[in-house]
Amino acid sequence: MKRISCKVASVSPILDDIFNVELQPQESQSFVAGQYLQIVMAEDDKRPFSLASSPEQSDVLELHIGAPEGNPYARQVIDKLKKSGEVEVEMPFGNAGFDEASQRPILIMVGGTGFSYAKSIIEHLVDTEQDREIYLYWGGRNLGGLYLHELAYQWEELDQVKFVPVLEQAMPQWTGKKGLVHEAVLEDFPDMSGLEVYIAGRFEMADVARTAFTKQGLPIEQLHGDAYEFI
Ligand SMILES: Cc1cc2nc3c(=O)[nH]c(=O)nc-3n(C[C@H](O)[C@H](O)[C@H](O)COP(=O)(O)OP(=O)(O)OC[C@H]3O[C@@H](n4cnc5c(N)ncnc54)[C@H](O)[C@@H]3O)c2cc1C
């Protein structure tokens, strides 16, 4: 892990209270797709965010930060980034990065801004031309919560990616999956034993998914998620 100083290249809203942040490190940084960094707010206050960019694009570190009014933890980070042209970060962190050794089909299940984790892994696979089978399940309260769904649909054109959006509060004309994202995965994969599963999102989601997925045959060593270091 290293501490590095980064120039804040941009902080721009993607949608409502979700921000795309681009940081330019002094020098290119190496990390594993799906790892995270910590923004140093103070010596005893470092806040984790998943890297949304792939290791192959490490000149710019991209983050997606959900910072609604009621979330001062993330809001303070956005305010700091907007005010200061430079920020200190520590990286890389996390044991849930992409496992290059496994050849199993990949299932990435994310909720909300957990999408940044999926983006890093999928863009890494594309950048390194790995023709792997990828199932991306992205859960949100509504379509607005799936703030880059157009990008996810574009990945489907690569053939190797199947994107399944799952909405908790779907509009009447929605014909896709409804409910909680892990429920959609359970319905589609009655036997999960042959999958390599990557998870990012709320801790509660990671927790219920671990219990349900292992009951449905997923060996625990084939389940990856940073949440499991915290819960
Ligand atoms: C290592 C680490 C990295 C992080 N990286 C980021 C980051 O890059 N950006 C960021 O903004 N925050 C990050 N966080 C903070 C936190 O994890 C996110 O705020 C959170 O995942 C985002 O949830 P959301 O509000 O977007 O999802 P929500 O909108 O609350 O939920 C989205 C979907 O998740 C599922 N879900 C939610 N709750 C449950 C539940 N109780 N049971 C079952 N399913 C559920 C549902 O399908 C729901 O539709 C990080 C935290 C850690 C520890």
Side-chain angles (χ1 to χ4, degrees), residues 18 36-37 48-51 63-67 71 73-74 110-114 116-117 138-142 166-168 179-182 200-206 208 226-227 230:
I18 299 172
Y36 66 94
L37 58 64
F49 295 97
S50 298
L51 287 148
L63 310 175
H64 300 166
I65 301 184
N71 180 352
Y73 186 83
V110 296
T113 49
S116 53
Y117 170 82
W138 187 7
R141 296 204 186 114
N142 48 44
V166 185
L167 304 185
E168 269 184 89
L180 297 173
V181 63
H182 75 285
R202 290 193 176 274
F203 289 171
E204 298 90 332
M205 180 196 79
V208 291
D226 285 317
F230 296 83

Side-chain angles (χ1 to χ4, degrees), residues 13 24 37 48 72 105 218:
Q24 275 171 353
L37 58 64
L218 182 72

Side-chain angles (χ1 to χ4, degrees), residues 21-89:
V21 172
E22 287 189 352
L23 304 176
Q24 275 171 353
Q26 278 165 342
E27 61 202 61
S28 175
Q29 298 299 313
S30 61
F31 61 94
V32 175
Q35 284 192 302
Y36 66 94
L37 58 64
Q38 289 192 331
I39 297 208
V40 180
M41 300 293 282
E43 279 319 311
D44 57 352
D45 181 3
K46 299 169 191 173
R47 304 191 188 177
F49 295 97
S50 298
L51 287 148
S53 33
S54 80
E56 289 69 37
Q57 307 149 13
S58 61
D59 292 349
V60 174
L61 305 171
E62 181 185 336
L63 310 175
H64 300 166
I65 301 184
E69 293 271 327
N71 180 352
Y73 186 83
R75 195 99 204 163
Q76 287 157 7
V77 173
I78 291 297
D79 289 345
K80 180 183 170 81
L81 294 173
K82 278 184 176 167
K83 277 188 207 129
S84 49
E86 296 240 326
V87 69
E88 303 259 281
V89 306

Side-chain angles (χ1 to χ4, degrees), residues 56-208:
E56 289 69 37
Q57 307 149 13
S58 61
D59 292 349
V60 174
L61 305 171
E62 181 185 336
L63 310 175
H64 300 166
I65 301 184
E69 293 271 327
N71 180 352
Y73 186 83
R75 195 99 204 163
Q76 287 157 7
V77 173
I78 291 297
D79 289 345
K80 180 183 170 81
L81 294 173
K82 278 184 176 167
K83 277 188 207 129
S84 49
E86 296 240 326
V87 69
E88 303 259 281
V89 306
E90 291 182 351
M91 66 176 284
F93 290 98
N95 297 321
F98 181 65
D99 177 1
E100 303 280 351
S102 162
Q103 287 305 310
R104 296 182 190 91
I106 298 160
L107 188 144
I108 310 177
M109 185 189 85
V110 296
T113 49
F115 177 74
S116 53
Y117 170 82
K119 182 173 176 289
S120 177
I121 293 176
I122 293 175
E123 290 191 342
H124 166 65
L125 288 162
V126 173
D127 289 344
T128 53
E129 298 180 3
Q130 297 188 53
D131 189 20
R132 303 282 304 278
E133 203 177 337
I134 306 162
Y135 300 93
L136 170 62
Y137 282 70
W138 187 7
R141 296 204 186 114
N142 48 44
L143 198 57
L146 308 191
Y147 54 91
L148 282 178
H149 60 269
E150 282 161 13
L151 173 65
Y153 280 120
Q154 274 171 29
W155 288 332
E156 277 209 307
E157 289 165 22
L158 302 169
D159 282 349
Q160 72 189 102
V161 180
K162 174 148 176 51
F163 170 46
V164 182
V166 185
L167 304 185
E168 269 184 89
Q169 299 155 7
M171 55 280 200
Q173 65 272 32
W174 178 252
T175 55
K177 296 265 183 192
K178 294 176 195 164
L180 297 173
V181 63
H182 75 285
E183 293 167 346
V185 171
L186 289 167
E187 190 177 86
D188 290 351
F189 294 90
D191 175 4
M192 299 187 68
S193 60
L195 296 168
E196 203 71 47
V197 177
Y198 296 86
I199 288 184
R202 290 193 176 274
F203 289 171
E204 298 90 332
M205 180 196 79
D207 197 19
V208 291

